[in-house]
Amino acid sequence: MKKIIMGISAVGLLLISCGRDITSLNDDPKNPSEVNTDFMFTSASVGLVTQMTTPSVNLNNFRFFTQQWTETQYIDEAVYNLVKRSVPDSNWNNMYSQMTKLEMARNTANSLSDTSLKASKIAAIEALEIYIFSTLVDTYGNIPYSQSLQVDKYPTPAYDDSKTIYIDLIKRADAVLATLDSNTSKGFGTYDPIFGGSSEKIKLFLNTLKLRMGLNLADVDNALAKTIVESAYAKGVVLANSQNLGLKFTSSGQFTSPVYQEMVTSGRNDFVPANTFVDVLNASSDPRRAKYFTLKDGAYVGGLYGKQNVFAEFSHVQDSFLVADSMAYLFDAAETRFMLAEAAERGYNVGGVAATHFTAGIKASMDFWGVTQADQTTYLAANNYAALPGTWKQKIGNEAWIAAYNRGFEAWEFSRRLDFRTFIKPGSRAVPVRMPYPVNETSVNNINRSQAAVAQWGAATQDVQASKIFWDKN
C-alpha cells in the first residue's frame, strides 16, 4: 500500500534526539552563532510524532482515555492518576519544546534570500505549529499562546482564550494555504520526514486539521464551524490511504518506533488490550481483531480495564504494531471519512451523505489493515449505517473509535465531541475530558494559571481532569 510518509533514515545521524542538548548542532557548542534550520525542523517533526505515538506512561496516557488498552501490574494510569508520573507536565513540556525548535528554524529561515524557499519552509513550520497549538488547546483548554514562544520577553506568559486561539489558528492556516498555491519550492526536502518538502502534502495536512477543528466548534459556533468545514473539504482533505500523513521510524538506533521501544526493547509487559474495547469487537465479529490482537486459547480476550492483569492470561497487541521501523500517522483516511460522516449529519456540504462517508471510513480502516474483501462485505452487511441501532453520534463514534485503535488522541477527540459511549470509571478519579495544567505551572506561573481556570470554570480549584474545555458542551 502506498502511503505519504518519509523515512527518518533520509537524514540518518544528522537527526538529534528530543532529549539531547541542541547545542551539539552548532560549530561551537559554547558559543553557538547559527542554528541549522533543517536539523531543527527534523528534530521537531520527529519529536512531535513521537510524543503523539509513544505509549510511555511517563509521557502519553491517551490510549487509556477511551479504554482501548489497560495495564498489567502497575495501574495508576489506567485508573487516571495523571499526576503521579507528572504526565500533564511531560506532555506540555514536550509539545512546547517542539515549537521552540520550530521557532529556531523559523528565525533562520527568515534570513533566506530565496523568497520561494523561505515561504515553503515557513509553511511547513506553520503547519506543525498550528497542529501543536490546536492539540494543546484540545488537551488543556486555555493555554499560553500569544506570549508563549517569547520566553526572554515573557517568562511567565499569559493564557489566551481557547476559542480566540482556535480562530487565530484557522486564520494562520488559511494564510499558509494561500502561499502554497503557486509555490513549487521543496522546502526542507529530505529533512522533512512528514511532508518531504511537498506543498500538496502540507495542503492536505492543514485542510484536514481545519476539518477537525471546525467540527470541534460545532456545538459552540455552528455557523463558523460549517464555514470552516466546508472550506476545508472543498480545498482537499485526506480521503485515501495513499494520502495518509505521518512518518516512518528507523529499523535500528535511537529513532526506532516508541511503541517498539516501550513494548519490545524495554523487556516489559505492561500493557494488554482492554476488555472494554475487545468485547465490542467480539460482539460484532469484527475482522480487524486478528490485525489488532493475538489469540489467547483460541479467543480474543481483553484484560479487565483498570485492574491488575496477568500478561500471559490475555490477548496481546499484535506483532505488526511492535516493529522497529513502523509508521505513525497524524492523519489518516479512516479518521477523515468519519469526520465527514459527522459533518454530513450536521448538515454541512461535504460531498456526500453520512452513510457514504461512514462506509468509506470502515473500508479505509479495513483496507489499511489488509482485511479481505469478503470479510469487509460480511461486516458491512451486518453493520449497515441505516439499520444500526443508536443515534448517528453513536454509530459514527463507535466505528471511529474502533478505526482509531492505537491512536489514543484521535479516539479521544471523537469521544468528547460525539459522546458516543460511557466509559467506566475504574476508581475514584473521573474519566479525563482534559488534562489538568502541569504542576510546574502552579509553581512558576500560578497567577496566570489560576486566572485561566477562573475564566473557564469559575474557580482555580476547578483545574481538574473532569472540567471540560470550551468546545466540549455535551
Side-chain angles (χ1 to χ4, degrees), residues 14 20 48-49 57 71 96 107 139 229 307 326 358 422 450:
L14 295 178
R20 293 177 61 189
L48 167 60
V49 177
V57 293
E71 294 177 286
Y96 274 110
N107 290 339
T139 303
V229 168
K307 306 295 183 181
S326 64
F358 177 84
T422 300
S450 297

Side-chain angles (χ1 to χ4, degrees), residues 433-456:
V433 290
R434 67 178 284 268
M435 278 192 191
Y437 291 126
V439 173
N440 191 55
E441 283 292 283
T442 303
S443 300
V444 302
N445 197 17
N446 192 47
I447 292 176
N448 287 318
R449 182 207 66 87
S450 297
Q451 289 176 347
V454 171
Q456 292 169 98

Side-chain angles (χ1 to χ4, degrees), residues 178-204:
T179 70
L180 293 172
D181 289 337
S182 58
N183 193 328
T184 59
S185 179
K186 297 301 181 182
F188 291 97
T190 57
Y191 289 90
D192 183 345
I194 298 174
F195 307 123
S198 167
S199 293
E200 291 304 314
K201 294 174 188 178
I202 297 175
K203 289 179 185 178
L204 281 173

Side-chain angles (χ1 to χ4, degrees), residues 8-330:
I8 300 173
S9 58
V11 291
L13 296 177
L14 295 178
L15 282 170
I16 62 167
S17 146
C18 298
R20 293 177 61 189
D21 185 355
I22 60 173
T23 59
S24 64
L25 295 171
N26 299 285
D27 295 332
D28 181 353
K30 295 183 179 179
N31 298 287
S33 58
E34 183 177 347
V35 174
N36 187 300
T37 309
D38 296 335
F39 298 173
M40 284 290 97
F41 184 80
T42 305
S43 181
S45 300
V46 177
L48 167 60
V49 177
T50 297
Q51 177 60 29
M52 297 301 293
T53 304
T54 181
S56 169
V57 293
N58 297 302
L59 301 174
N60 179 338
N61 295 165
F62 290 131
R63 288 174 180 82
F64 303 126
F65 291 1
T66 61
Q67 302 180 355
Q68 295 181 336
W69 287 11
T70 191
E71 294 177 286
T72 52
Q73 182 177 0
Y74 305 104
I75 62 171
D76 292 297
E77 293 71 38
V79 298
Y80 303 132
N81 183 350
L82 304 184
V83 298
K84 181 176 181 178
R85 298 181 190 269
S86 302
V87 175
D89 292 70
S90 298
N91 183 69
W92 176 285
N93 292 339
N94 278 345
M95 296 296 264
Y96 274 110
S97 175
Q98 308 321 317
M99 286 194 289
T100 298
K101 297 174 191 175
L102 291 171
E103 283 300 291
M104 294 171 74
R106 185 198 299 271
N107 290 339
T108 307
N110 276 329
S111 66
L112 293 172
S113 57
D114 184 331
T115 57
S116 178
L117 180 60
K118 171 183 173 180
S120 65
K121 287 192 171 188
I122 295 298
I125 291 167
E126 275 285 273
L128 294 189
E129 280 199 8
I130 293 166
Y131 177 92
I132 295 171
F133 271 126
S134 70
T135 302
L136 284 167
V137 169
D138 292 351
T139 303
Y140 298 96
N142 291 3
I143 58 168
Y145 176 66
S146 58
Q147 299 179 359
S148 63
L149 302 179
Q150 304 175 68
V151 65
D152 291 338
K153 187 175 181 180
Y154 302 108
T156 55
Y159 285 56
D160 294 85
D161 172 73
S162 295
K163 186 179 179 182
T164 302
I165 297 172
Y166 247 52
I167 292 172
D168 192 62
L169 292 175
I170 295 295
K171 290 179 179 178
R172 287 172 62 175
D174 286 338
V176 172
L177 289 166
T179 70
L180 293 172
D181 289 337
S182 58
N183 193 328
T184 59
S185 179
K186 297 301 181 182
F188 291 97
T190 57
Y191 289 90
D192 183 345
I194 298 174
F195 307 123
S198 167
S199 293
E200 291 304 314
K201 294 174 188 178
I202 297 175
K203 289 179 185 178
L204 281 173
F205 183 88
L206 285 172
N207 282 319
T208 307
L209 178 56
K210 281 180 59 180
L211 171 63
R212 179 196 286 171
M213 294 176 68
L215 286 173
N216 285 347
L217 288 167
D219 289 335
V220 294
D221 194 334
N222 186 60
L224 177 61
K226 185 174 187 293
T227 297
I228 294 169
V229 168
E230 291 180 352
S231 168
Y233 174 77
K235 292 181 179 178
V237 295
V238 172
L239 293 175
N241 285 322
S242 61
Q243 299 174 317
N244 292 350
L245 289 159
L247 59 76
K248 185 180 180 68
F249 291 100
T250 57
S251 59
S252 61
Q254 63 179 323
F255 301 110
T256 55
S257 161
V259 177
Y260 173 80
Q261 292 176 19
E262 292 294 324
M263 301 181 72
V264 179
T265 61
S266 70
R268 301 183 62 85
N269 296 315
D270 291 327
F271 311 114
V272 291
N275 65 320
T276 41
F277 187 70
V278 176
D279 289 353
V280 172
L281 276 70
N282 282 336
S284 61
S285 299
D286 194 307
R288 285 168 289 191
R289 289 176 299 172
K291 310 297 181 180
Y292 289 176
F293 323 121
T294 62
L295 286 166
K296 172 59 181 174
D297 297 332
Y300 299 105
V301 184
L304 297 177
Y305 188 80
K307 306 295 183 181
Q308 288 188 327
N309 295 282
V310 177
F311 184 77
E313 295 180 358
F314 300 97
S315 294
H316 302 154
V317 173
Q318 244 319 341
D319 288 346
S320 59
F321 292 91
L322 309 179
V323 178
D325 60 346
S326 64
M327 297 160 298
Y329 297 99
L330 298 181

